[in-house]
Short mmCIF file of all heavy atoms in Angstrom, two decimals:
data_model
loop_
_atom_site.label_atom_id
_atom_site.label_comp_id
_atom_site.label_asym_id
_atom_site.label_seq_id
_atom_site.Cartn_x
_atom_site.Cartn_y
_atom_site.Cartn_z
N SER A 1 0.84 -1.19 0.00
CA SER A 1 0.00 0.00 0.00
C SER A 1 0.87 1.24 0.00
O SER A 1 2.07 1.18 0.31
CB SER A 1 -0.93 0.00 1.21
OG SER A 1 -0.19 0.00 2.41
N GLY A 2 0.28 2.35 -0.37
CA GLY A 2 1.00 3.62 -0.34
C GLY A 2 1.69 4.00 -1.64
O GLY A 2 2.35 5.04 -1.70
N PHE A 3 1.53 3.19 -2.65
CA PHE A 3 2.09 3.51 -3.97
C PHE A 3 1.28 2.76 -5.01
O PHE A 3 0.46 1.89 -4.67
CB PHE A 3 3.58 3.12 -4.05
CG PHE A 3 3.86 1.64 -3.94
CD1 PHE A 3 4.13 0.88 -5.06
CD2 PHE A 3 3.86 1.00 -2.70
CE1 PHE A 3 4.39 -0.48 -4.96
CE2 PHE A 3 4.11 -0.35 -2.58
CZ PHE A 3 4.38 -1.09 -3.72
N THR A 4 1.47 3.11 -6.27
CA THR A 4 0.72 2.47 -7.35
C THR A 4 1.38 1.14 -7.67
O THR A 4 2.32 1.05 -8.46
CB THR A 4 0.68 3.38 -8.59
OG1 THR A 4 0.17 4.67 -8.22
CG2 THR A 4 -0.23 2.78 -9.65
N PHE A 5 0.86 0.11 -7.05
CA PHE A 5 1.48 -1.22 -7.07
C PHE A 5 1.76 -1.71 -8.49
O PHE A 5 2.84 -2.25 -8.78
CB PHE A 5 0.56 -2.19 -6.33
CG PHE A 5 1.07 -3.61 -6.27
CD1 PHE A 5 2.04 -3.97 -5.35
CD2 PHE A 5 0.55 -4.58 -7.12
CE1 PHE A 5 2.49 -5.28 -5.27
CE2 PHE A 5 0.99 -5.88 -7.06
CZ PHE A 5 1.97 -6.24 -6.13
N SER A 6 0.81 -1.52 -9.38
CA SER A 6 0.91 -2.09 -10.72
C SER A 6 2.03 -1.48 -11.56
O SER A 6 2.38 -2.03 -12.61
CB SER A 6 -0.43 -1.96 -11.44
OG SER A 6 -0.77 -0.60 -11.57
N ARG A 7 2.61 -0.40 -11.11
CA ARG A 7 3.63 0.28 -11.89
C ARG A 7 5.05 -0.16 -11.56
O ARG A 7 6.00 0.30 -12.19
CB ARG A 7 3.52 1.80 -11.67
CG ARG A 7 2.28 2.42 -12.25
CD ARG A 7 2.29 3.93 -12.08
NE ARG A 7 1.08 4.55 -12.62
CZ ARG A 7 0.83 5.85 -12.56
NH1 ARG A 7 1.71 6.67 -11.99
NH2 ARG A 7 -0.28 6.34 -13.05
N TYR A 8 5.19 -1.05 -10.55
CA TYR A 8 6.54 -1.36 -10.09
C TYR A 8 6.80 -2.86 -10.01
O TYR A 8 5.93 -3.64 -9.63
CB TYR A 8 6.78 -0.74 -8.71
CG TYR A 8 6.74 0.76 -8.75
CD1 TYR A 8 5.57 1.45 -8.45
CD2 TYR A 8 7.88 1.49 -9.11
CE1 TYR A 8 5.54 2.84 -8.51
CE2 TYR A 8 7.85 2.87 -9.16
CZ TYR A 8 6.66 3.54 -8.87
OH TYR A 8 6.63 4.91 -8.93
N ALA A 9 8.04 -3.20 -10.38
CA ALA A 9 8.49 -4.57 -10.16
C ALA A 9 8.58 -4.83 -8.66
O ALA A 9 8.81 -3.91 -7.87
CB ALA A 9 9.85 -4.79 -10.82
N MET A 10 8.41 -6.07 -8.30
CA MET A 10 8.47 -6.48 -6.90
C MET A 10 9.47 -7.62 -6.74
O MET A 10 9.69 -8.41 -7.67
CB MET A 10 7.10 -6.95 -6.41
CG MET A 10 6.00 -5.91 -6.46
SD MET A 10 6.28 -4.53 -5.34
CE MET A 10 6.26 -5.36 -3.74
N SER A 11 10.03 -7.72 -5.56
CA SER A 11 11.02 -8.76 -5.30
C SER A 11 10.81 -9.38 -3.93
O SER A 11 10.27 -8.73 -3.02
CB SER A 11 12.44 -8.19 -5.37
OG SER A 11 12.73 -7.69 -6.65
N TRP A 12 11.27 -10.61 -3.81
CA TRP A 12 11.40 -11.27 -2.51
C TRP A 12 12.89 -11.48 -2.24
O TRP A 12 13.64 -11.91 -3.12
CB TRP A 12 10.71 -12.63 -2.52
CG TRP A 12 9.22 -12.57 -2.43
CD1 TRP A 12 8.32 -12.63 -3.46
CD2 TRP A 12 8.45 -12.45 -1.23
NE1 TRP A 12 7.05 -12.56 -2.98
CE2 TRP A 12 7.09 -12.46 -1.61
CE3 TRP A 12 8.76 -12.37 0.12
CZ2 TRP A 12 6.05 -12.36 -0.69
CZ3 TRP A 12 7.74 -12.27 1.04
CH2 TRP A 12 6.39 -12.27 0.63
N TYR A 13 13.29 -11.19 -1.02
CA TYR A 13 14.65 -11.44 -0.54
C TYR A 13 14.55 -12.36 0.68
O TYR A 13 13.47 -12.52 1.28
CB TYR A 13 15.32 -10.13 -0.10
CG TYR A 13 15.82 -9.25 -1.21
CD1 TYR A 13 14.93 -8.56 -2.02
CD2 TYR A 13 17.18 -9.09 -1.42
CE1 TYR A 13 15.40 -7.73 -3.04
CE2 TYR A 13 17.66 -8.26 -2.43
CZ TYR A 13 16.76 -7.59 -3.23
OH TYR A 13 17.23 -6.76 -4.22
N ARG A 14 15.69 -12.89 1.06
CA ARG A 14 15.75 -13.65 2.30
C ARG A 14 17.09 -13.42 2.97
O ARG A 14 18.08 -13.10 2.33
CB ARG A 14 15.52 -15.14 2.07
CG ARG A 14 16.61 -15.86 1.30
CD ARG A 14 16.21 -17.30 1.03
NE ARG A 14 17.24 -18.04 0.29
CZ ARG A 14 17.08 -19.27 -0.17
NH1 ARG A 14 15.92 -19.91 0.02
NH2 ARG A 14 18.06 -19.86 -0.83
N GLN A 15 17.08 -13.61 4.29
CA GLN A 15 18.30 -13.46 5.06
C GLN A 15 18.34 -14.51 6.15
O GLN A 15 17.45 -14.55 7.02
CB GLN A 15 18.41 -12.07 5.67
CG GLN A 15 19.74 -11.81 6.35
CD GLN A 15 19.97 -10.34 6.63
OE1 GLN A 15 19.03 -9.56 6.72
NE2 GLN A 15 21.23 -9.96 6.77
N ALA A 16 19.36 -15.34 6.09
CA ALA A 16 19.60 -16.35 7.12
C ALA A 16 20.61 -15.79 8.12
O ALA A 16 21.39 -14.90 7.78
CB ALA A 16 20.10 -17.64 6.50
N PRO A 17 20.63 -16.30 9.34
CA PRO A 17 21.58 -15.80 10.35
C PRO A 17 23.01 -15.86 9.86
O PRO A 17 23.47 -16.89 9.35
CB PRO A 17 21.34 -16.75 11.53
CG PRO A 17 19.94 -17.22 11.36
CD PRO A 17 19.74 -17.34 9.88
N GLY A 18 23.71 -14.73 9.97
CA GLY A 18 25.11 -14.68 9.59
C GLY A 18 25.38 -14.62 8.10
O GLY A 18 26.54 -14.65 7.68
N ILE A 19 24.32 -14.52 7.31
CA ILE A 19 24.48 -14.50 5.85
C ILE A 19 23.87 -13.21 5.31
O ILE A 19 22.84 -12.74 5.81
CB ILE A 19 23.81 -15.73 5.21
CG1 ILE A 19 24.48 -17.02 5.73
CG2 ILE A 19 23.89 -15.66 3.70
CD1 ILE A 19 23.84 -18.28 5.22
N GLN A 20 24.51 -12.66 4.28
CA GLN A 20 24.00 -11.43 3.67
C GLN A 20 22.64 -11.66 3.04
O GLN A 20 22.36 -12.74 2.50
CB GLN A 20 25.00 -10.96 2.61
CG GLN A 20 24.72 -9.59 2.03
CD GLN A 20 25.83 -9.13 1.11
OE1 GLN A 20 26.82 -9.82 0.90
NE2 GLN A 20 25.69 -7.93 0.56
N ARG A 21 21.79 -10.65 3.11
CA ARG A 21 20.48 -10.74 2.48
C ARG A 21 20.66 -10.97 0.98
O ARG A 21 21.48 -10.34 0.34
CB ARG A 21 19.70 -9.46 2.74
CG ARG A 21 18.24 -9.51 2.35
CD ARG A 21 17.50 -8.27 2.80
NE ARG A 21 17.47 -8.12 4.26
CZ ARG A 21 16.73 -7.22 4.89
NH1 ARG A 21 15.97 -6.38 4.20
NH2 ARG A 21 16.77 -7.14 6.20
N GLU A 22 19.86 -11.87 0.41
CA GLU A 22 19.96 -12.22 -1.00
C GLU A 22 18.60 -12.16 -1.67
O GLU A 22 17.57 -12.45 -1.04
CB GLU A 22 20.55 -13.63 -1.16
CG GLU A 22 19.73 -14.73 -0.54
CD GLU A 22 20.26 -16.12 -0.84
OE1 GLU A 22 21.22 -16.25 -1.63
OE2 GLU A 22 19.69 -17.08 -0.30
N VAL A 23 18.62 -11.82 -2.94
CA VAL A 23 17.38 -11.80 -3.70
C VAL A 23 16.99 -13.23 -4.05
O VAL A 23 17.83 -14.04 -4.44
CB VAL A 23 17.50 -10.92 -4.96
CG1 VAL A 23 18.56 -11.44 -5.90
CG2 VAL A 23 16.17 -10.76 -5.64
N VAL A 24 15.72 -13.52 -3.90
CA VAL A 24 15.19 -14.86 -4.19
C VAL A 24 14.47 -14.87 -5.53
O VAL A 24 14.69 -15.77 -6.35
CB VAL A 24 14.24 -15.30 -3.07
CG1 VAL A 24 13.56 -16.63 -3.42
CG2 VAL A 24 14.97 -15.40 -1.74
N ALA A 25 13.60 -13.87 -5.75
CA ALA A 25 12.81 -13.84 -6.97
C ALA A 25 12.32 -12.43 -7.21
O ALA A 25 12.12 -11.65 -6.27
CB ALA A 25 11.62 -14.79 -6.86
#
């Protein structure tokens, strides 16, 4: 919410303990 959702790409990231956050999809 708070922006025009349909105009922007979206991503999922993940972060495990002690590991840098990484893009998933």
Side-chain angles (χ1 to χ4, degrees):
S1 61
F3 65 101
T4 306
F5 180 79
S6 61
R7 292 184 181 178
Y8 296 95
M10 299 294 298
S11 298
W12 284 97
Y13 283 72
R14 68 185 180 186
Q15 187 166 23
I19 299 177
Q20 188 173 0
R21 191 173 297 189
E22 62 174 354
V23 62
V24 174

